[in-house]
């Protein structure tokens, strides 16, 4: 079962929004919603044609997802910077988990498919988007490990690049929790061990001057709605930086535990360096 991470330090306190805050919320929130859900409708219409012809391969609709994610940062006024190169070909990317904004940050530069905990499928708004864009929903239980492995292998055979958060929960963005190795097992079967790659990704959020440095972190018992409104209401939005570490052939690792340790070390090192300030 996924355990929610709680900090020893209290999170940023809830805001009492002013009229100016609500004006910024409307100025950013309305275009963000129209852009996101308008494109979702277009994606669903195209998927009606795409699915019978291509199944899981999805040669068209991921471009809509990338457009939505790129334009979201423009609408929010946030800086967005990418260092390194996303890998090509089938495999998986493993990243530290900070916020719901991670979905936009990782989708914007590449065609990927997220692996998410099952309860996300039922969340209003986010759940609909996740299902439409091909997210894999899993139950984080040992008894489901074999089923997860089979599901991942089908996606890898379709040429997909998967993304998951091996920490199992989000944090304040200033730490990396131990990576769980279970989700790496699918890449060590005889078919994909020689062809798949694994890549670590470090996500670093930079708060605007005057804000709590952890303002973009979404953890503990924070509500999604409250955190979304806080991000929309910021006077001077901050930035997100994405660092793609060099990818590894799965065949270079002895087993899933070694792979998880290596990618965790790389993600941790990237976050500590504060790349490209």
């Amino acid at each position: 079962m996924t355990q929610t991470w709680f900090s020893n330090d209290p999170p940023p306190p809830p805001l009492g929004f002013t009229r100016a805050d609500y004006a910024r919320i409307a100025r950013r929130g309305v275009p963000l919603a129209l852009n996101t859900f308008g494109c979702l409708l277009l994606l669903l219409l195209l998927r009606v044609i795409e699915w019978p012809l291509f199944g899981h391969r999805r040669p068209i609709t991921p471009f809509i997802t990338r457009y939505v994610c790129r334009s979201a940062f423009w609408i929010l006024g946030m800086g967005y910077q990418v260092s390194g190169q996303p890998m090509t070909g089938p495999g998986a990317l493993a990243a530290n988990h900070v916020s719901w904004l991670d979905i936009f940050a990782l989708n914007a530069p590449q065609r990927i498919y997220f692996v998410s905990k099952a309860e996300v499928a039922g969340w209003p708004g986010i759940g609909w988007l996740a299902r439409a864009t091909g997210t894999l929903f899993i139950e984080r239980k040992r008894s489901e490990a074999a089923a997860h492995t089979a599901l991942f292998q089908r996606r890898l055979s379709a040429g997909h690049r998967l993304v998951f958060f091996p920490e199992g929960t989000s944090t304040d963005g200033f730490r990396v929790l131990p990576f769980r190795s279970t989700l790496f097992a699918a890449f060590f079967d005889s078919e994909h061990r020689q062809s798949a790659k694994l890549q670590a990704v470090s996500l670093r959020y930079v708060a605007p001057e005057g804000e709590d440095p952890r303002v973009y972190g979404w953890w503990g018992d924070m509500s999604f709605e409250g955190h979304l409104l806080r991000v929309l209401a910021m006077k001077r939005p901050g930035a997100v930086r994405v660092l793609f570490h060099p990818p590894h052939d799965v065949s270079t690792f002895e087993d899933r535990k070694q792979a998880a340790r290596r990618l965790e070390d790389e993600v941790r090192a990237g976050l500590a360096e504060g790349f490209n300030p």
Side-chain angles (χ1 to χ4, degrees):
M1 180 179 294
T2 301
Q3 298 295 321
T4 301
W5 179 79
F6 287 87
S7 173
N8 292 327
D9 299 319
L15 295 179
F17 295 118
T18 64
R19 286 187 178 181
D21 293 329
Y22 281 116
R24 284 189 293 272
I25 290 171
R27 189 171 68 246
R28 295 171 181 151
V30 171
L32 183 64
L34 291 175
N35 184 59
T36 301
F37 290 102
C39 287
L40 172 61
L41 178 59
L42 174 62
L43 185 151
L44 292 174
L45 291 173
L46 288 175
R47 192 69 183 131
V48 173
I49 302 171
E50 188 182 52
W51 171 254
L53 295 175
F54 303 103
H56 285 305
R57 294 190 181 277
R58 295 179 180 246
I60 303 168
T61 52
F63 290 103
I64 299 175
T65 304
R66 289 187 62 187
Y67 163 76
V68 169
C69 293
R70 285 176 177 270
S71 59
F73 291 109
W74 180 79
I75 293 170
L76 292 172
M78 288 182 65
Y80 179 74
Q81 177 183 326
V82 174
S83 301
Q85 292 293 326
M87 70 181 192
T88 59
L93 299 94
N96 57 308
H97 194 12
V98 183
S99 169
W100 51 272
L101 285 164
D102 299 348
I103 298 171
F104 294 92
L106 291 168
N107 255 314
Q110 60 186 328
R111 182 185 303 191
I112 53 173
Y113 300 90
F114 279 88
V115 178
S116 177
K117 56 186 179 181
E119 52 263 40
V120 173
W123 292 1
I126 289 183
W128 304 332
L129 290 170
R131 288 195 298 272
T133 54
T135 297
L136 287 74
F137 297 104
I138 62 172
E139 295 281 354
R140 292 182 182 269
K141 299 177 182 177
R142 292 183 182 274
S143 60
E144 298 292 326
H148 297 159
T149 297
L151 178 60
F152 287 6
Q153 289 171 352
R154 287 196 296 272
R155 289 298 190 92
L156 291 173
S157 296
H160 287 192
R161 286 183 296 282
L162 307 178
V163 179
F164 52 87
F165 302 111
E167 295 167 290
T169 184
S170 55
T171 71
D172 60 2
F174 281 84
R175 68 203 71 239
V176 177
L177 303 179
F179 278 17
R180 303 177 183 186
S181 65
T182 306
L183 294 179
F184 291 88
F187 307 98
F188 288 85
D189 72 304
S190 57
E191 178 182 353
H192 299 102
R193 187 183 181 101
Q194 301 302 320
S195 59
K197 295 181 181 293
L198 295 173
Q199 183 172 34
V201 187
S202 299
L203 296 173
R204 180 171 181 255
Y205 288 84
V206 182
E209 185 178 355
E211 288 279 1
D212 188 305
R214 306 165 300 159
V215 69
Y216 286 113
W218 179 42
W219 77 90
D221 56 4
M222 293 182 184
S223 70
F224 168 70
E225 294 82 2
H227 193 266
L228 172 63
L229 291 176
R230 185 171 192 135
V231 170
L232 292 173
M234 286 185 186
K235 294 180 182 178
R236 296 175 300 280
V240 58
R241 295 168 180 164
V242 185
L243 171 60
F244 290 94
H245 297 271
H248 303 279
D249 293 326
V250 173
S251 59
T252 62
F253 298 110
E254 293 181 1
D255 55 29
R256 60 184 174 86
K257 292 184 178 181
Q258 185 187 44
R261 286 194 300 268
R262 177 65 177 274
L263 270 63
E264 178 189 332
D265 289 344
E266 291 181 353
V267 170
R268 194 182 301 276
L271 188 63
E273 291 171 3
F275 44 93
N276 292 340

